Amino acid sequence: MNGHAYSIEIDQVSKRFGHGSEATLALDTVSLNIRTNEFFTLLGPSGCGKTTLLRMIAGFEEPTSGDIRLDGVSLTGRLPFQRPVNTVFQSYALFPHLTVEENVAFGLEMLGRDRAAVREAVTRMLALVKLSDYARRRPHQLSGGQQQRVALARALAPHPKVLLLDESLSALDLKLRKDMQVELKRLQRETGITFVFVTHDQEEALTMSDRIAVMGGGKLQQVGSPEEIYDRPVNRFVADFIGETSFLTAEARGSALEFGAAGRLAEGALGTTAQGPVALAARPERLRLSEDGGLTGVVSEVVYRGADTLYLVTLADGQNCRVRHTNRLGARERAVTGDRVRIAAEPGAFQLLTGEAGHA
Amino acid sequence: MRDPRTVLRRALLLAPTGLTLFVFMVIPMGLMGWMSVLEPDTYGGVRWHALSLDAYVQFWYERDLDDSLILNTAYMEIFLRSFLLAGFATLATLVLGFPTALYIALQDERTRQRLILLISIPFWTNLLVRTYAWMLLLRNGGLIDSGLGALGLGSGALDVLYTPTAVAIGFVYSFLPFMVLPIYTSLEKMDWRLVEAAFDLGANRWTALRRVVLPMALPGIAAGCLLVFIPALGSYYIPELLGGGKSLMIGNLIQNQFGTARNWPFGAALSFTLLALVLLAMIVYTRRFRQAPGE
């Protein structure tokens, strides 16, 4: 152990592009810590600042203010080639004039390893990404997936402390992406390297990450495990960006939630003890259509989606709510459009959104 | 393939090119080849039916009074000097041109356009005029000479004009754009993310330049070298004006044979030898750069 709990510490980092009135704030005082050998994902829509943050860890951009530390040592002023950090680029950026094995050997040669050590490491890396038969090919003779694995092998070969992956799976087709997700997870466990992954794909983030940082508008919105991010989004942005969500407002009174004309949900539908007007988020699968439900409404649409069916319900107080039921063999539809229904909620189904007033 | 109409159409399409090549290339070259194996006429021209290999022998040997052949290195020296001067011009323009091209390629779009315009401004004036301008600059008592004198650096006589140095200066000046432009073209297409990737993998600036930028620019460098070396090798009026017309290079030697020396077959033979050497260089070039990087 190196004595530091964190591999990367991002400390109050801001990044401003341009000058004067044309300046844009790409990152706004972001602080987060990434643990050693963690699969950490920066998740957000395009333009949220996640790639800027990644490029600052790699050294291609310098923070306007704040500091980035690796194993406790500040990276400020250190050029990209002076950092034990390697990147798998979105475009792969394989050297077209070099063969696959020469590409993989590049970083090792830069470290000044002797020829035999380089050859041995290249052979091992190519076996790891299952490209041993393609060592003598040039990048343009490979498929997208193979190129991606070369990029991965090239970045992993010098055994960096941190591997950065910039939207590295987005160019692949679905099947290949699924395979690569599994492979990346395996590589991360086997190599003991800290992975920092940038993506806009929430499913990718949820399936692969140990922890996720959701970013939006240059700000850090929430950091947590995939379960925390999904089940307990702290604000509207996170709840909206990840998964399906119904946004509702209600009045919290005691342990009950009152929805005006739509009725009330008693006993612990809200996970916290907040009182008064509240803004809420609820996942459709945490709600159900039930005779004994506390809320009333009319089904406005039924969407069959194979594994499940989504019911869009207009509550009696005018708010819209989504309810999802898993489909079982032989089971009939629970409701059709226009049916009057009642909705029940699991305990803790409603998540309080911070930073927002309840009823306007 | 065998369809006669296809064959006809192909022949018709190729006809203009074929005809142009035949009239302007094959016929003159054939004529030149023929001339090179004829005897010279007394007042220029050739005796059309007197076959002789004298012209090629003359390149290597001198005919002594007793009709025996003795080795003559004078012409070989001129060839050697031509190759050295052209080679120097190529090397010097490469050393100056590559950083220039790299610098331009690294600027933003608008600056690049402006710089390329600056590079091509010399083309707006005839090269002959610009060469005369160099004579004014380089001659004793000229701008450079008196400038150095005013600074107390000159001894009064620069003595550069009418030397191989002046020819070399003229070459570097005239051919620099022909080196910069093709290198710039190959660098402009370059994916700079590859340089980022090299940095990321631990290559410093110099290593990234050597291992990534240079190999990617190689086709442009090779094209630039050809565009400088071949015209420089056969160049005529730069050595004529700046070198003082002292048969410094092959071009002047050839011109002399068709002019004052009145030995057309020898001039033709020299032309053919030059052509053969350039072709040889081209073959080496294509062999070497056949596996150029890229798709």
Side-chain angles (χ1 to χ4, degrees):
Chain A
M1 281 307 290
N2 49 40
H4 295 275
Y6 297 115
S7 172
I8 297 175
E9 293 161 88
I10 291 157
D11 186 6
Q12 308 253 349
V13 166
S14 294
K15 178 68 184 179
R16 195 181 294 277
F17 288 110
H19 302 284
S21 59
E22 285 176 38
T24 52
L25 195 59
L27 272 186
D28 188 0
T29 29
V30 169
S31 290
L32 57 90
N33 297 324
I34 300 170
R35 298 180 190 124
T36 306
N37 195 21
E38 185 172 37
F39 198 116
F40 192 91
T41 300
L42 298 169
L43 176 67
S46 60
C48 73
K50 58 189 193 297
T51 298
T52 304
L53 189 55
L54 195 80
R55 288 176 62 80
M56 287 199 291
I57 299 173
F60 298 126
E61 311 279 356
E62 281 289 320
T64 308
S65 65
D67 193 19
I68 298 174
R69 287 184 293 275
L70 178 68
D71 291 341
V73 181
S74 172
L75 289 175
T76 305
R78 283 222 262 164
L79 296 166
F81 48 85
Q82 295 164 332
R83 301 181 182 206
V85 173
N86 287 345
T87 310
V88 180
F89 293 87
Q90 184 172 13
S91 60
Y92 311 145
L94 297 175
F95 303 124
H97 59 292
L98 301 180
T99 62
V100 166
E101 58 184 355
E102 286 167 342
N103 264 281
V104 176
F106 195 93
L108 295 160
E109 285 165 9
M110 293 305 120
L111 290 175
R113 300 279 160 79
D114 66 70
R115 197 176 290 247
V118 170
R119 181 166 307 180
E120 192 263 317
V122 168
T123 310
R124 193 158 35 81
M125 286 317 303
L126 287 179
L128 194 64
V129 297
K130 304 193 179 71
L131 282 173
S132 304
D133 297 340
Y134 297 86
R136 299 284 156 81
R137 302 269 186 99
R138 285 182 194 267
H140 66 90
Q141 295 171 307
L142 303 180
S143 71
Q146 290 166 335
Q147 288 186 26
Q148 213 244 307
R149 273 140 65 197
V150 177
L152 195 61
R154 184 179 69 174
L156 280 172
H159 208 92
K161 287 183 173 165
V162 178
L163 185 77
L164 307 175
L165 299 113
D166 184 9
E167 301 261 4
S168 303
L169 303 182
S170 58
L172 305 180
D173 63 58
L174 190 69
K175 174 81 176 66
L176 207 54
R177 198 156 68 213
K178 298 277 180 211
D179 292 349
M180 280 313 296
Q181 287 176 2
V182 175
E183 206 155 340
L184 271 183
K185 242 348 234 187
R186 177 177 65 83
L187 283 170
Q188 185 247 345
R189 278 194 305 270
E190 286 176 9
T191 54
I193 294 170
T194 306
F195 276 40
V196 182
F197 184 63
V198 155
T199 186
H200 62 269
D201 185 327
Q202 45 155 314
E203 194 199 322
E204 220 161 69
L206 291 173
T207 51
M208 297 167 76
S209 318
D210 295 318
R211 285 195 306 149
I212 298 170
V214 183
M215 298 182 66
K219 288 196 178 74
L220 192 62
Q221 303 288 340
Q222 186 174 0
V223 184
S225 68
E227 296 80 9
E228 284 166 350
I229 297 285
Y230 187 81
D231 288 336
R232 293 191 290 284
V234 295
N235 60 27
R236 183 175 290 263
F237 182 89
V238 177
D240 196 25
F241 188 70
I242 294 172
E244 276 181 289
T245 310
S246 302
F247 293 105
L248 300 164
T249 53
E251 189 88 15
R253 199 159 290 165
S255 64
L257 283 171
E258 295 187 354
F259 287 83
R264 66 194 292 271
L265 291 167
E267 298 306 306
L270 180 63
T272 67
T273 56
Q275 295 294 307
V278 285
L280 302 168
R283 301 294 184 195
E285 69 273 19
R286 306 276 186 254
L287 305 177
R288 62 183 194 278
L289 301 179
S290 171
E291 296 298 326
D292 57 4
L295 299 179
T296 57
V298 176
V299 175
S300 59
E301 206 170 328
V302 179
V303 185
Y304 175 77
R305 298 196 297 194
D308 50 49
T309 302
L310 186 71
Y311 301 89
L312 304 180
V313 179
T314 306
L315 297 176
D317 66 346
Q319 298 194 78
N320 288 306
C321 184
R322 293 157 167 249
V323 180
R324 189 158 76 206
H325 278 279
T326 306
N327 293 326
R328 296 209 167 74
L329 273 178
R332 298 223 320 274
E333 274 179 335
R334 284 160 196 274
V336 293
T337 306
D339 279 2
R340 297 190 66 82
V341 290
R342 301 183 77 85
I343 296 173
E346 285 176 23
F350 284 92
Q351 184 64 29
L352 184 72
L353 300 176
T354 56
E356 287 184 53
H359 293 293
Chain B
M1 286 299 273
R2 293 283 164 81
D3 180 9
R5 286 181 53 197
T6 315
V7 173
L8 182 69
R9 190 179 306 153
R10 192 166 295 175
L12 280 174
L13 279 171
L14 283 173
T17 314
L19 202 67
T20 311
L21 275 178
F22 185 77
V23 171
F24 294 105
M25 184 117 168
V26 178
I27 292 182
M29 295 248 285
L31 214 55
M32 198 60 75
W34 187 20
M35 269 188 196
S36 73
V37 291
L38 293 175
E39 279 180 10
D41 210 346
T42 324
Y43 302 106
V46 288
R47 296 201 183 94
W48 288 102
H49 298 289
L51 285 175
S52 156
L53 282 175
D54 267 6
Y56 290 97
V57 175
Q58 193 185 349
F59 183 75
W60 300 98
Y61 301 103
E62 215 168 358
R63 215 169 275 279
D64 211 351
L65 291 173
D66 60 357
D67 226 25
S68 65
L69 296 172
I70 48 174
L71 195 67
N72 175 10
T73 55
Y75 299 126
M76 273 177 270
E77 271 169 36
I78 293 173
F79 264 68
L80 187 66
R81 184 158 55 227
S82 302
F83 271 86
L84 286 177
L85 273 170
F88 170 80
T90 310
L91 206 67
T93 50
L94 180 60
V95 168
L96 291 172
F98 184 81
T100 311
L102 185 62
Y103 175 80
I104 297 172
L106 287 172
Q107 304 307 304
D108 63 65
E109 183 67 28
R110 278 176 61 192
T111 317
R112 266 192 275 172
Q113 303 283 359
R114 256 179 238 151
L115 290 173
I116 287 299
L117 185 72
L118 284 179
I119 294 282
S120 54
I121 276 182
F123 294 128
W124 298 0
T125 323
N126 189 300
L127 182 55
L128 194 59
V129 176
R130 286 182 278 139
T131 308
Y132 272 113
W134 270 105
M135 291 178 74
L136 295 178
L137 287 173
L138 292 176
R139 74 189 158 87
N140 285 346
L143 204 60
I144 293 173
D145 194 13
S146 50
L148 286 174
L151 290 169
L153 298 167
S155 55
L158 195 59
D159 285 334
V160 164
L161 193 59
Y162 308 135
T163 64
T165 311
V167 178
I169 292 172
F171 277 171
V172 172
Y173 163 76
S174 311
F175 294 122
L176 192 56
F178 296 101
M179 185 62 88
V180 173
L181 292 175
I183 296 179
Y184 166 74
T185 308
S186 64
L187 287 177
E188 191 204 18
K189 287 182 296 195
M190 166 116 190
D191 183 356
W192 295 101
R193 288 175 298 190
L194 296 177
V195 178
E196 262 189 8
F199 285 155
D200 189 67
L201 290 164
N204 60 31
R205 291 188 186 88
W206 170 245
T207 312
L209 182 73
R210 195 170 50 82
R211 295 278 312 260
V212 177
V213 180
L214 215 55
M216 303 292 283
L218 215 52
I221 290 172
C225 287
L226 275 188
L227 283 177
V228 172
F229 185 78
I230 292 174
L233 188 63
S235 112
Y236 164 63
Y237 55 85
I238 292 172
E240 180 76 13
L241 295 178
L242 299 179
K246 288 185 286 189
S247 286
L248 276 168
M249 292 188 63
I250 311 169
N252 313 101
L253 186 60
I254 294 171
Q255 194 272 341
N256 262 342
Q257 302 314 310
F258 287 96
T260 47
R262 287 181 187 159
N263 191 345
W264 288 22
F266 188 48
L270 287 170
S271 304
F272 250 66
T273 313
L274 179 62
L275 186 72
L277 288 169
V278 169
L279 273 178
L280 206 68
M282 289 287 287
I283 289 167
V284 171
Y285 162 79
T286 38
R287 285 275 157 104
R288 174 64 186 80
F289 294 104
R290 188 175 291 160
Q291 331 94 307
E295 307 304 295

